[in-house]
Amino acid sequence: MRAVALCPPLLAVLLTACGGKPTPGPVLQGPGRQGPPQPPAVEFDFGVIPHGESRQHDYVLDTKLLGADYVPLRAQLDCSCGRAQIVLRDKQGNERLVDGSPASVNAPTADETLIARVFLDTVTKDAVDLPRTTSRGSILLQPLHDRDGSLRVQWPLLLHFGIESPVELHPFAALDFERVPQSQRPEITTNLRGDATHRDLQFGAVTCTDPALTVTLEPSGDHFVLRTRCQPGEVGNHQAVISIATNLESGYQVNLGVQWKVVPDLEARPMAKLSFLCNLQREQRKDEIASQFLLVADHDPQRGGEFSLHELVDDQGRDARSSFEVTFVPIAGPDQQHRMFVRYLGGQAQGFRGKLVLRKGGSTGPFLSIELVVFAGKNP
Amino acid sequence: MMTPRPWTVPLAAFLLASVIATFAQCGGDATAASPAPGPNIAATPPGLTQDPARQPPIPQNVDRVRLLVSGAMLGRLEPCGCASGQLGGLPRRMQHVGEQSLGGRKTYDLLIEGGDMVEGATELDMQKVFTALQVLFGMQHPYDVLGIGQKDLELPFAEWTSYLAMAPVVATDLTSTAAEWPGKPFVEKQVRNHKIRVLSFTLALPEVMQKEGAPIQLLAPAEAWKLGLQGAEDATLRILLVHATDGKTRELLPKLEPKPDLVLCFDEGYTEPPAHPELLNGVPIVYPGTRGRMLLDVSLARLPEGPRAGYEILPLQGSKTIPGGGGDPDTKEVLLQHRLLVKEDHVLAKMANQRPTANGATYVGSATCAGCHATAYDIWKNKTKHGHAWQTLVDAEKDPKRYGWPVTAYPDCVSCHVVGYGEKSGFVTAEDTPSLTDVGCERCHGAGSDHVQSGGKKAMGKVGGGMASVVCTQCHDFEQSPDFLYTNKWPLIQHGREPGQEKK
């Protein structure tokens, strides 16, 4: 989705198309005027498109149906794999584009036909079948004499299509490792085979856009097994694409999107921040703090010890332990997870901003810092 | 780093030329759909011209500021998921932001959330606001600016402003006597050798803030602009968020001196951003769209001839083969907690029975209708999806691949699978009002008590007539039913008069 450099002839076409001025004319007032015409939808059936392929169709719009001179402004499609553009084509087959402004230069001349060029590219979809569907789009037009855009017309487009993927992927057509702690090396297994009409489909070379993923493909009975192992790198959100060649004549390759988020072994979830609302004039009851917790975890199974409170200070660095009680409730499982509850005990006048620092194991840490924010509430 | 897409296949020359032309025309991805026309597009004010062409791109050797902008969320923390291909949502957005922030580098200089995060002022809306603020301002990649829209001002003031304490709020034309009001006239940030100042105009107050003693007052635009630019250097880049229609924004611009370098106009009529910024007297105007469905990667620079802006549109799709697809797992976790809390707090029941029915009658349930309309009832119950819409939701809740969270307790989902939710005598919960589950007769025809009590003399409402009905599109909107056309769908639910019932 990066900008593409213009080739000179195309630039010339564009420059020709641009540069018009809005057409002067009376500003039409609302009451009393006739409503804009409602042109009939134009339809096209793209058929069932093999996944990975693209299709194009020119919808020809008969502007005479509108009964006046209209300037086409924009085209839009609802479907996520489609894009549309407006083209004006003369009888010799020369084409020009419009620049989206309601200028007379953008109106089709008597010699020109208005075309909505629709381009469907299924490569950006996951490799799964899409049953035949109808999607919509429209061309936005404005009368030449309409200076305020209040008489704009939407000319509906209907796109009938389906997508057929030649492969079956189980359990999913995309991989999501979700959260990957730095000490772990998770693996996802995906089964591939040709679908009912491509049972003899063979798979070839596998490539991946990120070296953090190790990918292998092996035959196993009537299908292939793709093993993807994640070697977490730097903390943060990651995304990659695995491509698997096939023996289809079209050169089709299966693309699987992969996503993962590397997290530190010691972490608080869903974020290293706990904020809540309470009445600062009194101590919170224990039954009031049911949702006042974070999950704290140590994903490194080699590390022992328990979580404990190391310090709790306000944003000026002053000790505030006496205003809060911090308790840990263990959760069964391999991640040494605990619910860390914080209960307000009193002593703060206007809300609280600060942090609490947890320690895992001995006095040398490691440590986990969590922001703590308490808002003054008016509940009794 | 954006991952290259190795599978991009060279196209035939003609096709390539047309695609290039599209990119050139649009300044970005041509999937970038155009907006629906703004409903209140006003005439261009006298003395102003609408520039006819888009600006040329910012020259390569000019340092540009990069902003990440998205349309007003209007309560869509995540697409509801009841149709494939829905765009948007905080998890996908934060996944993209995270991908762009690896290794301490930051692709974006400024992350801007315009405002109007929710549409109403219910308890659910408050919980959504809190959740969205946590995600946008409390997690690993905090946003830099939060604007304030008119819808925001309808929220319960004290609670809302206490939540806002976690965000850098800019509200240039709003003042308040309330000590807890966090709004500032501007937010300023230094980016390399640029100073950027962000200002925000709400331009009008909702009814609740127009009452005597209301805690918020509105400043005149010129006065607010002056206040917001106090102390700003001439070289400071001025970005203005406007929460108003396109027409109002165009009326506003001539009143502002010095001119802004960029205007972000949150006009709800523009459901999707245009392919490139519009220009008004040399000022680029960007319409980010609605529901946060797309991100705009906006580049801005001030050249000797004036400000110049362009953007790429990043549709937030679910496909993981696309950068930013899928969703950030931590954000998903926060949203899951929000949904569990909505169930735990019984928000569904609390939001029921809030407003009168549209026709003043009360709901009687589809089984009552069956007494006289047995054939229609039979068709509805046994041959249409409407007849088991509640079970669809129940099944979806049980399917971890689809949801795995309590959708039957979430008001946004429930309202499209039952009769009269939110209205007096309407659906409350499946246990309390079992006769009002499913998209029953009265969901489309209106509450039926008067019709029943009059022995059928008082007519029910009728949907149809060849045009997409407003009643239908309350649920079958452009996102939830992208292929919805009334004329195509009517045969799926077609029912009519009973045998022997003649048209009067």
Side-chain angles (χ1 to χ4, degrees), chain A residues 1-3, chain B residues 2 27-28 58 64-70 96 100 107-111 262 264 273 277 286 288 294-300 309-315:
Chain A
M1 287 185 279
R2 298 286 165 201
Chain B
M2 296 272 261
I58 300 169
R64 77 279 321 270
V65 172
R66 284 180 70 179
L67 325 167
L68 187 70
V69 182
S70 46
H96 175 78
Q100 299 300 310
T107 300
Y108 299 111
D109 298 311
L110 209 60
L111 304 177
L262 176 71
L264 304 176
V286 172
M294 301 180 186
L295 298 176
L296 299 186
D297 174 0
V298 181
S299 295
L300 173 67
Y311 54 73
E312 288 183 36
I313 300 176
L314 308 166

Short mmCIF file of all heavy atoms in Angstrom, two decimals, chain A residues 1-3, chain B residues 2 27-28 58 64-70 96 100 107-111 262 264 273 277 286 288 294-300 309-315:
data_model
loop_
_atom_site.label_atom_id
_atom_site.label_comp_id
_atom_site.label_asym_id
_atom_site.label_seq_id
_atom_site.Cartn_x
_atom_site.Cartn_y
_atom_site.Cartn_z
N MET A 1 0.82 -1.19 0.00
CA MET A 1 0.00 0.00 0.00
C MET A 1 0.86 1.25 0.00
O MET A 1 0.52 2.27 0.56
CB MET A 1 -0.92 -0.02 1.21
CG MET A 1 -2.03 -1.01 1.04
SD MET A 1 -3.21 -0.94 2.36
CE MET A 1 -2.39 -1.89 3.60
N ARG A 2 2.01 1.11 -0.56
CA ARG A 2 2.88 2.26 -0.67
C ARG A 2 2.59 3.02 -1.96
O ARG A 2 2.15 2.45 -2.93
CB ARG A 2 4.34 1.81 -0.66
CG ARG A 2 4.73 1.11 0.62
CD ARG A 2 4.86 2.12 1.73
NE ARG A 2 4.87 1.44 3.00
CZ ARG A 2 4.58 1.99 4.16
NH1 ARG A 2 4.22 3.24 4.23
NH2 ARG A 2 4.62 1.33 5.27
N ALA A 3 2.92 4.29 -1.94
CA ALA A 3 2.73 5.07 -3.16
C ALA A 3 3.63 4.53 -4.25
O ALA A 3 4.72 4.04 -4.02
CB ALA A 3 3.06 6.53 -2.88
N MET B 2 7.27 -2.89 8.06
CA MET B 2 6.19 -3.57 7.37
C MET B 2 6.79 -4.76 6.62
O MET B 2 7.79 -4.63 5.94
CB MET B 2 5.52 -2.64 6.36
CG MET B 2 4.85 -1.45 6.99
SD MET B 2 3.18 -1.83 7.45
CE MET B 2 2.31 -1.12 6.08
N GLY B 27 -3.43 8.46 -4.08
CA GLY B 27 -2.40 8.75 -3.11
C GLY B 27 -2.25 7.64 -2.10
O GLY B 27 -1.75 7.83 -1.02
N GLY B 28 -2.69 6.48 -2.42
CA GLY B 28 -2.58 5.38 -1.47
C GLY B 28 -3.28 4.19 -2.05
O GLY B 28 -3.36 4.02 -3.25
N ILE B 58 4.45 15.15 -0.90
CA ILE B 58 5.51 15.89 -0.21
C ILE B 58 6.86 15.45 -0.81
O ILE B 58 7.10 14.24 -0.94
CB ILE B 58 5.48 15.58 1.30
CG1 ILE B 58 4.13 16.01 1.89
CG2 ILE B 58 6.63 16.28 2.02
CD1 ILE B 58 3.88 15.51 3.29
N ARG B 64 8.77 15.00 7.03
CA ARG B 64 7.34 15.12 7.28
C ARG B 64 6.99 14.50 8.62
O ARG B 64 7.68 13.57 9.08
CB ARG B 64 6.51 14.50 6.15
CG ARG B 64 6.36 13.00 6.07
CD ARG B 64 7.51 12.25 5.43
NE ARG B 64 8.13 12.86 4.28
CZ ARG B 64 7.75 12.64 3.02
NH1 ARG B 64 6.76 11.84 2.76
NH2 ARG B 64 8.41 13.19 2.02
N VAL B 65 5.96 15.03 9.22
CA VAL B 65 5.45 14.47 10.47
C VAL B 65 4.43 13.40 10.12
O VAL B 65 3.63 13.59 9.20
CB VAL B 65 4.78 15.59 11.31
CG1 VAL B 65 4.08 15.01 12.52
CG2 VAL B 65 5.81 16.62 11.72
N ARG B 66 4.50 12.27 10.80
CA ARG B 66 3.54 11.20 10.49
C ARG B 66 2.58 11.00 11.65
O ARG B 66 2.98 10.83 12.81
CB ARG B 66 4.28 9.90 10.17
CG ARG B 66 4.87 9.96 8.77
CD ARG B 66 5.60 8.71 8.43
NE ARG B 66 4.69 7.58 8.24
CZ ARG B 66 5.14 6.38 7.89
NH1 ARG B 66 6.42 6.16 7.74
NH2 ARG B 66 4.29 5.39 7.71
N LEU B 67 1.33 11.06 11.31
CA LEU B 67 0.26 10.94 12.31
C LEU B 67 -0.53 9.67 12.03
O LEU B 67 -0.73 9.30 10.87
CB LEU B 67 -0.72 12.12 12.22
CG LEU B 67 -0.16 13.49 11.86
CD1 LEU B 67 -1.31 14.42 11.51
CD2 LEU B 67 0.62 14.03 13.04
N LEU B 68 -1.01 9.05 13.08
CA LEU B 68 -1.93 7.93 12.91
C LEU B 68 -3.30 8.40 13.39
O LEU B 68 -3.45 8.80 14.55
CB LEU B 68 -1.48 6.70 13.69
CG LEU B 68 -2.33 5.46 13.40
CD1 LEU B 68 -2.08 4.96 11.98
CD2 LEU B 68 -2.02 4.33 14.39
N VAL B 69 -4.24 8.35 12.49
CA VAL B 69 -5.58 8.88 12.78
C VAL B 69 -6.60 7.81 12.41
O VAL B 69 -6.39 7.04 11.48
CB VAL B 69 -5.84 10.13 11.91
CG1 VAL B 69 -7.20 10.72 12.21
CG2 VAL B 69 -4.76 11.17 12.12
N SER B 70 -7.69 7.77 13.15
CA SER B 70 -8.77 6.86 12.76
C SER B 70 -10.10 7.56 13.03
O SER B 70 -10.17 8.52 13.79
CB SER B 70 -8.69 5.55 13.52
OG SER B 70 -8.46 5.77 14.88
N HIS B 96 -1.38 -3.20 14.83
CA HIS B 96 -0.66 -2.39 13.84
C HIS B 96 0.30 -1.42 14.55
O HIS B 96 1.46 -1.29 14.15
CB HIS B 96 -1.65 -1.61 12.98
CG HIS B 96 -0.98 -0.66 12.04
ND1 HIS B 96 -0.39 -1.08 10.86
CD2 HIS B 96 -0.77 0.68 12.10
CE1 HIS B 96 0.16 -0.03 10.25
NE2 HIS B 96 -0.07 1.04 10.98
N GLN B 100 4.45 -1.40 14.35
CA GLN B 100 5.17 -0.20 13.90
C GLN B 100 6.07 0.38 14.98
O GLN B 100 6.66 1.43 14.79
CB GLN B 100 4.17 0.88 13.45
CG GLN B 100 3.28 0.45 12.30
CD GLN B 100 4.08 0.08 11.06
OE1 GLN B 100 4.93 0.82 10.63
NE2 GLN B 100 3.82 -1.10 10.51
N THR B 107 7.26 4.52 14.01
CA THR B 107 6.89 4.97 12.68
C THR B 107 6.07 6.25 12.78
O THR B 107 6.25 7.17 11.99
CB THR B 107 6.05 3.88 11.98
OG1 THR B 107 6.85 2.71 11.90
CG2 THR B 107 5.65 4.31 10.58
N TYR B 108 5.20 6.29 13.76
CA TYR B 108 4.30 7.45 13.87
C TYR B 108 4.81 8.43 14.91
O TYR B 108 5.24 8.04 15.99
CB TYR B 108 2.89 6.97 14.25
CG TYR B 108 2.31 6.05 13.22
CD1 TYR B 108 2.11 4.70 13.48
CD2 TYR B 108 2.00 6.52 11.95
CE1 TYR B 108 1.59 3.85 12.52
CE2 TYR B 108 1.49 5.68 10.97
CZ TYR B 108 1.29 4.34 11.26
OH TYR B 108 0.80 3.51 10.30
N ASP B 109 4.72 9.69 14.57
CA ASP B 109 5.15 10.73 15.50
C ASP B 109 4.04 11.10 16.47
O ASP B 109 4.29 11.59 17.57
CB ASP B 109 5.57 11.98 14.71
CG ASP B 109 6.74 11.70 13.79
OD1 ASP B 109 7.73 11.12 14.27
OD2 ASP B 109 6.64 12.03 12.60
N LEU B 110 2.81 10.89 16.06
CA LEU B 110 1.69 11.32 16.88
C LEU B 110 0.52 10.36 16.66
O LEU B 110 0.14 10.11 15.51
CB LEU B 110 1.28 12.73 16.45
CG LEU B 110 0.64 13.67 17.44
CD1 LEU B 110 1.57 13.94 18.61
CD2 LEU B 110 0.29 14.99 16.76
N LEU B 111 -0.02 9.83 17.75
CA LEU B 111 -1.20 8.98 17.66
C LEU B 111 -2.40 9.80 18.13
O LEU B 111 -2.40 10.29 19.25
CB LEU B 111 -1.04 7.73 18.54
CG LEU B 111 0.19 6.85 18.27
CD1 LEU B 111 0.25 5.69 19.28
CD2 LEU B 111 0.17 6.30 16.86
N LEU B 262 -3.50 21.56 9.02
CA LEU B 262 -4.25 20.34 8.72
C LEU B 262 -5.52 20.35 9.54
O LEU B 262 -5.50 20.71 10.73
CB LEU B 262 -3.41 19.10 9.08
CG LEU B 262 -4.10 17.74 8.90
CD1 LEU B 262 -4.28 17.42 7.42
CD2 LEU B 262 -3.28 16.62 9.56
N LEU B 264 -8.65 17.80 10.71
CA LEU B 264 -9.24 16.47 10.75
C LEU B 264 -10.72 16.67 11.07
O LEU B 264 -11.06 17.13 12.16
CB LEU B 264 -8.59 15.60 11.83
CG LEU B 264 -7.08 15.42 11.71
CD1 LEU B 264 -6.54 14.62 12.90
CD2 LEU B 264 -6.72 14.73 10.41
N PRO B 273 -13.03 7.22 4.69
CA PRO B 273 -12.23 8.36 4.23
C PRO B 273 -12.17 8.43 2.71
O PRO B 273 -12.12 7.39 2.05
CB PRO B 273 -10.85 8.09 4.82
CG PRO B 273 -10.84 6.66 5.20
CD PRO B 273 -12.24 6.21 5.39
N PRO B 277 -6.76 13.74 0.83
CA PRO B 277 -7.32 14.90 1.54
C PRO B 277 -7.97 15.88 0.55
O PRO B 277 -7.54 16.00 -0.59
CB PRO B 277 -6.09 15.56 2.19
CG PRO B 277 -5.02 14.55 2.15
CD PRO B 277 -5.30 13.65 0.99
N VAL B 286 -8.97 16.34 6.17
CA VAL B 286 -9.00 14.88 6.18
C VAL B 286 -10.27 14.43 6.89
O VAL B 286 -10.62 14.95 7.96
CB VAL B 286 -7.75 14.32 6.91
CG1 VAL B 286 -7.87 12.81 7.10
CG2 VAL B 286 -6.49 14.65 6.13
N PRO B 288 -11.60 11.20 8.57
CA PRO B 288 -11.14 9.85 8.95
C PRO B 288 -12.22 8.79 8.91
O PRO B 288 -11.92 7.61 9.10
CB PRO B 288 -10.64 10.05 10.39
CG PRO B 288 -10.49 11.53 10.57
CD PRO B 288 -11.53 12.14 9.70
N MET B 294 -10.84 2.14 9.67
CA MET B 294 -9.59 2.26 8.92
C MET B 294 -8.64 3.20 9.66
O MET B 294 -9.08 4.10 10.36
CB MET B 294 -9.87 2.84 7.53
CG MET B 294 -10.82 1.99 6.74
SD MET B 294 -11.15 2.67 5.14
CE MET B 294 -12.40 1.54 4.57
N LEU B 295 -7.37 2.96 9.46
CA LEU B 295 -6.37 3.87 9.98
C LEU B 295 -5.87 4.72 8.83
O LEU B 295 -5.76 4.25 7.70
CB LEU B 295 -5.20 3.09 10.58
CG LEU B 295 -5.53 2.19 11.77
CD1 LEU B 295 -4.28 1.41 12.19
CD2 LEU B 295 -6.04 3.01 12.94
N LEU B 296 -5.57 5.95 9.14
CA LEU B 296 -4.95 6.81 8.15
C LEU B 296 -3.53 7.13 8.60
O LEU B 296 -3.33 7.63 9.71
CB LEU B 296 -5.73 8.13 7.99
CG LEU B 296 -7.18 8.04 7.53
CD1 LEU B 296 -7.73 9.44 7.28
CD2 LEU B 296 -7.29 7.22 6.27
N ASP B 297 -2.59 6.79 7.76
CA ASP B 297 -1.18 7.13 8.00
C ASP B 297 -0.95 8.46 7.28
O ASP B 297 -0.69 8.50 6.08
CB ASP B 297 -0.32 5.99 7.43
CG ASP B 297 1.17 6.31 7.49
OD1 ASP B 297 1.54 7.39 7.97
OD2 ASP B 297 1.96 5.45 7.04
N VAL B 298 -1.07 9.52 8.06
CA VAL B 298 -1.07 10.87 7.47
C VAL B 298 0.34 11.47 7.53
O VAL B 298 0.98 11.44 8.57
CB VAL B 298 -2.05 11.81 8.23
CG1 VAL B 298 -2.07 13.20 7.59
CG2 VAL B 298 -3.44 11.21 8.27
N SER B 299 0.78 11.98 6.42
CA SER B 299 2.05 12.71 6.38
C SER B 299 1.75 14.20 6.23
O SER B 299 0.89 14.58 5.44
CB SER B 299 2.90 12.27 5.19
OG SER B 299 3.27 10.93 5.35
N LEU B 300 2.48 15.00 6.99
CA LEU B 300 2.22 16.45 6.97
C LEU B 300 3.54 17.20 6.97
O LEU B 300 4.45 16.87 7.73
CB LEU B 300 1.39 16.84 8.19
CG LEU B 300 1.16 18.34 8.42
CD1 LEU B 300 0.29 18.95 7.32
CD2 LEU B 300 0.51 18.59 9.79
N ALA B 309 -0.29 17.72 2.70
CA ALA B 309 -0.61 16.48 3.42
C ALA B 309 -1.03 15.40 2.44
O ALA B 309 -1.50 15.69 1.34
CB ALA B 309 -1.73 16.73 4.43
N GLY B 310 -0.82 14.20 2.85
CA GLY B 310 -1.29 13.05 2.08
C GLY B 310 -1.46 11.90 3.05
O GLY B 310 -1.02 12.00 4.20
N TYR B 311 -2.11 10.87 2.62
CA TYR B 311 -2.22 9.73 3.54
C TYR B 311 -2.37 8.42 2.79
O TYR B 311 -2.73 8.38 1.62
CB TYR B 311 -3.35 9.90 4.54
CG TYR B 311 -4.74 10.17 4.00
CD1 TYR B 311 -5.48 9.19 3.36
CD2 TYR B 311 -5.31 11.43 4.18
CE1 TYR B 311 -6.76 9.45 2.91
CE2 TYR B 311 -6.59 11.70 3.73
CZ TYR B 311 -7.31 10.72 3.10
OH TYR B 311 -8.57 10.96 2.65
N GLU B 312 -2.03 7.38 3.52
CA GLU B 312 -2.35 6.02 3.08
C GLU B 312 -3.47 5.52 3.96
O GLU B 312 -3.51 5.80 5.16
CB GLU B 312 -1.15 5.10 3.22
CG GLU B 312 -0.05 5.36 2.23
CD GLU B 312 1.08 4.37 2.39
OE1 GLU B 312 0.79 3.20 2.69
OE2 GLU B 312 2.22 4.78 2.24
N ILE B 313 -4.34 4.75 3.36
CA ILE B 313 -5.46 4.20 4.13
C ILE B 313 -5.14 2.75 4.46
O ILE B 313 -4.76 1.98 3.58
CB ILE B 313 -6.76 4.29 3.33
CG1 ILE B 313 -7.06 5.76 3.02
CG2 ILE B 313 -7.91 3.67 4.10
CD1 ILE B 313 -8.28 5.97 2.16
N LEU B 314 -5.26 2.41 5.70
CA LEU B 314 -4.99 1.05 6.15
C LEU B 314 -6.28 0.44 6.68
O LEU B 314 -6.64 0.66 7.83
CB LEU B 314 -3.93 1.06 7.25
CG LEU B 314 -2.64 1.83 6.94
CD1 LEU B 314 -1.83 2.06 8.20
CD2 LEU B 314 -1.81 1.06 5.94
N PRO B 315 -6.99 -0.30 5.84
CA PRO B 315 -8.22 -0.92 6.34
C PRO B 315 -7.87 -1.98 7.39
O PRO B 315 -6.96 -2.78 7.17
CB PRO B 315 -8.82 -1.58 5.10
CG PRO B 315 -8.03 -1.10 3.93
CD PRO B 315 -6.71 -0.66 4.45
#
